[in-house]
């Protein structure tokens, strides 16, 4: 290789391979995401996003934001989480 007196040919071949893989991945990603976008499968509906994907996709809550009785477990966009500092 380059460091053992073999010149830069092997390094050039490897860099060309890396470039070819990057181009292939970019093209295939653009193709797949383009098809998903055109078919409307890339994004979820705004209502599902507002509800939270854990609830709309999986039927549950990913984590509890409030652990005290009476505290909200789901926050809407723009809401502030209640103070969760322990009472001392």
């Amino acid at each position: 290789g380059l460091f053992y007196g073999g010149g830069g040919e092997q390094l050039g071949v490897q860099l060309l391979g890396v470039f070819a893989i990057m181009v292939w991945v970019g093209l295939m990603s653009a193709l797949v995401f383009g098809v998903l976008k055109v078919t409307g499968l890339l994004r979820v509906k705004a209502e599902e996003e507002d509800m939270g994907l854990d609830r709309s996709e999986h039927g549950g809550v990913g984590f509890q934001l409030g652990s005290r009785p009476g505290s909200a477990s789901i926050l809407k966009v723009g809401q502030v989480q209640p103070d969760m500092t322990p009472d001392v």
Side-chain angles (χ1 to χ4, degrees), residues 36-75:
L36 289 174
K37 185 176 182 179
V38 167
T39 59
L41 298 173
L42 188 59
R43 297 284 312 245
V44 296
K45 296 175 185 161
E47 297 82 24
E48 291 177 350
E49 192 172 357
D50 288 340
M51 182 188 334
L53 293 178
D54 287 326
R55 183 162 290 187
S56 67
E57 292 290 322
H58 307 295
V61 178
F63 53 90
Q64 294 292 331
L65 295 177
S67 60
R68 294 187 213 164
S71 62
S73 60
I74 302 291
L75 297 176

Side-chain angles (χ1 to χ4, degrees), residues 22-33:
M22 288 172 56
V23 169
W24 173 259
V25 169
L27 290 173
M28 291 298 105
S29 296
L31 177 70
V32 168
F33 284 113

